Amino acid sequence: MKHTRAFRLETCARPNILSLQPYRCARDDYKDDGTNILLDANENAYGPSLDVQGNLHPDASNLNGAIDPNKLEVDLLGLNRYPDPHQTELKHHLCKLRNLHTHTTKDLSPEHLFVGVGSDEVIDALLRCFCTPSHDKILTCPPTYGMYAVSAQVNDVEIVKVPLDPARGFQLQPEAINAALSSDPSIKLVYVTSPGNPTANLLSKSDIQKLLEHPTWNGVVVLDEAYIDFSRDGASLAEWVTEWPNLVVMQTLSKAFGLAGIRLGAAFTSPEVARLLNNLKAPYNISSPTSALAISALQPNNVAVMRANRLKIMEQRQRLLHELPKISRIGRFLGGTDSNFLLVEILDKPRIHGGRPSNKSAMALYEGLAETRGVVVRFRGKEMSCEGCLRITVGTSKEVDRLLEETRSILEGEKGIDLGTDKGDGRTKEEEEVKEQDANGVIA
């Protein structure tokens, strides 16, 4: 490699980028190698919401040419052309899905939408649209999704934190949030998540309204509804953006629709905000295959598949709520049950002996399941008010069988892992802290 006297990476690159820690995702630690049971990334265990048995056409004549949205087709011969930069048809189907008139009589239209490469592009686009680097701030409510902080650091935007209230089931503290907004006009965005991640609970609509009604704050409330289809019908506030010009509602096809691999996220908002987001995006950010698969997933027959899979997940969620507490050293479920995952405490000793939530115990179970039993869950003990917690994605019936079996074996078996507070794997307190921080640092 040739060297120049002038070039110095450490002074040429932006300081906030130089200080970034590598993005760590769910597959960095434990791979999808066909042997592991992956209950760590809140993916849909029942697969894509596509009626592939009835509508997959593998022969070339059906894979090329005009697209029939009622069939799963991709125009392979059209891949030499750039995709539709506006994605109007896709936006129309997203609006049709959410125009339920539960919260308003008004209708969503494609003008209310921005679509991106997953919700992550939406999060980043909002920061670039509203926040001046090194000047403006965002407000988040921990424990929450880690990507808000990652995008804020990339964009050199400071974060103000007002925690959720664990005493109220991890609900918002609207008075405290509004006080922060009143005292600091440089806060431009408030990111809140409903259902929460990792807390799995719906936020109170009235609490969200209190933020929207702030009398002096000039900013935008961003409501992340990635898991909304696992909660009760009509819970989505997407159509509410027709009433509130300062509201953005983010959604994704990665979760309930089981299409994490196509990377499709959406922001419902006012036409004015949507126009700004569409103006700043790359011209062809949604690929033709992604668009075709998303449009197919939003057809009535495939929405029916999504809802059928959702029912299966809800059945297994209820089963976990019933069966996990029967295992020694399983503590309380924290948060809610409005998603495809649960947040549960792991205790340092059995409940009947006064067991308390323990990060060391949770880490031992987390590592024992993943490294010796092939079952991967997510450690969340370093999140605010989540001491000793694991987040467990709801799997299929067979996956839940295995999770329960292996958890019971580790926590109650004669050869189980020592989960005590004074004995274990020989790590120092400093080493244990590093290990916990590393496991908790995965963005998922």
Side-chain angles (χ1 to χ4, degrees):
M1 179 183 293
K2 294 183 178 180
H3 297 276
T4 67
R5 295 190 177 189
F7 178 70
R8 294 291 184 271
L9 179 64
E10 59 271 21
T11 56
C12 183
R14 290 164 51 192
N16 62 302
I17 301 301
L18 288 169
S19 65
L20 273 175
Q21 295 300 310
Y23 181 98
R24 295 186 61 240
C25 67
R27 295 288 73 79
D28 284 339
D29 292 342
Y30 302 104
K31 306 301 181 184
D32 184 8
D33 59 1
T35 62
N36 288 323
I37 293 176
L38 303 176
L39 304 178
D40 60 331
N42 299 339
E43 296 154 322
N44 192 319
Y46 287 93
S49 295
L50 297 170
D51 186 13
V52 294
Q53 291 183 340
N55 286 317
L56 180 61
H57 302 277
D59 59 290
S61 63
N62 282 319
L63 284 172
N64 301 292
I67 300 296
D68 179 353
N70 292 307
K71 296 179 180 179
L72 181 55
E73 298 177 340
V74 177
D75 181 11
L76 295 181
L77 293 184
L79 292 179
N80 61 314
R81 302 299 182 190
Y82 287 110
D84 175 8
H86 306 296
Q87 295 296 328
T88 303
E89 183 182 2
L90 172 56
K91 292 175 181 179
H92 169 77
H93 289 292
L94 287 166
C95 290
K96 185 176 180 181
L97 179 72
R98 299 306 179 194
N99 274 328
L100 301 178
H101 300 142
T102 303
H103 307 283
T104 181
T105 58
K106 298 178 182 178
D107 282 325
L108 292 162
S109 67
E111 289 70 31
H112 289 93
L113 269 165
F114 167 77
V115 289
V117 183
S119 295
D120 293 346
E121 183 180 359
V122 179
I123 294 167
D124 181 72
L126 287 163
L127 278 157
R128 289 188 290 125
C129 184
F130 289 102
C131 296
T132 301
S134 301
H135 179 269
D136 291 327
K137 303 172 186 175
I138 67 170
L139 186 147
T140 66
C141 300
T144 192
Y145 180 41
M147 197 63 202
Y148 311 139
V150 172
S151 288
Q153 187 174 1
V154 168
N155 287 282
D156 201 11
V157 172
E158 188 178 335
I159 302 175
V160 175
K161 298 179 182 180
V162 178
L164 298 173
D165 186 355
R168 296 177 55 232
F170 291 99
Q171 289 293 320
L172 296 174
Q173 301 189 72
E175 289 77 17
I177 294 172
N178 280 342
L181 300 180
S182 296
S183 64
D184 192 345
S186 67
I187 299 173
K188 293 295 183 68
L189 300 170
V190 174
Y191 283 97
V192 295
T193 311
S194 181
N197 178 12
T199 53
N201 62 303
L202 279 173
L203 297 179
S204 163
K205 179 182 175 182
S206 62
D207 285 350
I208 296 169
Q209 184 166 340
K210 290 175 183 177
L211 308 185
L212 295 168
E213 292 175 334
H214 194 293
T216 61
W217 176 58
N218 182 26
V220 176
V221 175
V222 184
L223 178 62
D224 189 343
E225 290 189 341
Y227 300 95
I228 196 65
D229 289 303
F230 296 110
S231 58
R232 64 177 182 270
D233 289 340
S236 173
L237 297 180
E239 62 185 9
W240 221 21
V241 303
T242 62
E243 302 285 353
W244 297 97
N246 55 336
L247 175 64
V248 174
V249 176
M250 298 194 304
Q251 295 187 356
T252 178
L253 296 190
S254 296
K255 305 303 180 181
F257 280 88
L259 290 170
I262 73 170
R263 310 304 299 125
L264 194 285
F268 295 87
T269 185
S270 69
E272 294 78 14
V273 171
R275 189 176 304 115
L276 294 178
L277 296 174
N278 284 305
N279 286 347
L280 66 81
K281 75 174 182 66
Y284 308 110
N285 62 328
I286 304 301
S287 72
S288 297
T290 290
S291 179
L293 287 165
I295 289 170
S296 182
L298 293 166
Q299 300 308 307
N301 61 317
N302 289 323
V303 173
V305 173
M306 181 273 285
R307 289 173 175 155
N309 287 342
R310 178 182 64 178
L311 287 175
K312 295 175 186 176
I313 289 170
M314 293 169 70
E315 289 173 359
Q316 295 307 312
R317 183 177 69 192
Q318 192 60 36
R319 185 172 164 222
L320 284 172
L321 288 167
H322 184 259
E323 295 295 331
L324 272 175
K326 296 179 181 179
I327 300 174
S328 176
R329 301 196 190 189
I330 295 293
R332 301 171 299 167
F333 292 101
L334 301 188
T337 58
D338 297 305
S339 194
N340 69 329
F341 59 88
L342 296 168
L343 186 67
V344 62
E345 294 174 331
I346 310 301
L347 309 180
D348 58 359
K349 54 187 174 181
R351 291 183 303 276
I352 59 173
H353 299 309
R356 299 178 62 83
S358 162
N359 276 350
K360 185 169 184 177
S361 297
M363 273 296 296
L365 178 58
Y366 162 68
E367 292 179 328
L369 284 171
E371 296 175 6
T372 66
R373 314 301 172 100
V375 179
V376 187
V377 297
R378 179 57 54 214
F379 176 77
R380 279 294 173 257
K382 288 299 185 182
E383 299 297 317
M384 193 172 294
S385 304
C386 295
E387 175 78 18
C389 281
L390 298 180
R391 193 195 67 192
I392 301 173
T393 304
V394 179
T396 65
S397 176
K398 289 184 179 179
E399 289 172 339
V400 170
D401 285 344
R402 179 82 174 277
L403 170 72
L404 292 170
E405 175 188 352
E406 301 296 357
T407 299
R408 184 175 288 107
S409 174
I410 290 174
L411 295 182
E412 297 180 352
E414 292 182 3
K415 296 182 180 180
I417 294 174
D418 188 341
L419 302 182
T421 56
D422 298 320
K423 300 178 181 179
D425 56 14
R427 293 177 189 146
T428 66
K429 288 185 178 180
E430 291 77 14
E431 291 170 335
E432 187 71 29
E433 176 70 18
V434 170
K435 192 74 173 179
E436 290 173 8
Q437 291 285 5
D438 188 57
N440 198 82
V442 173
I443 306 295

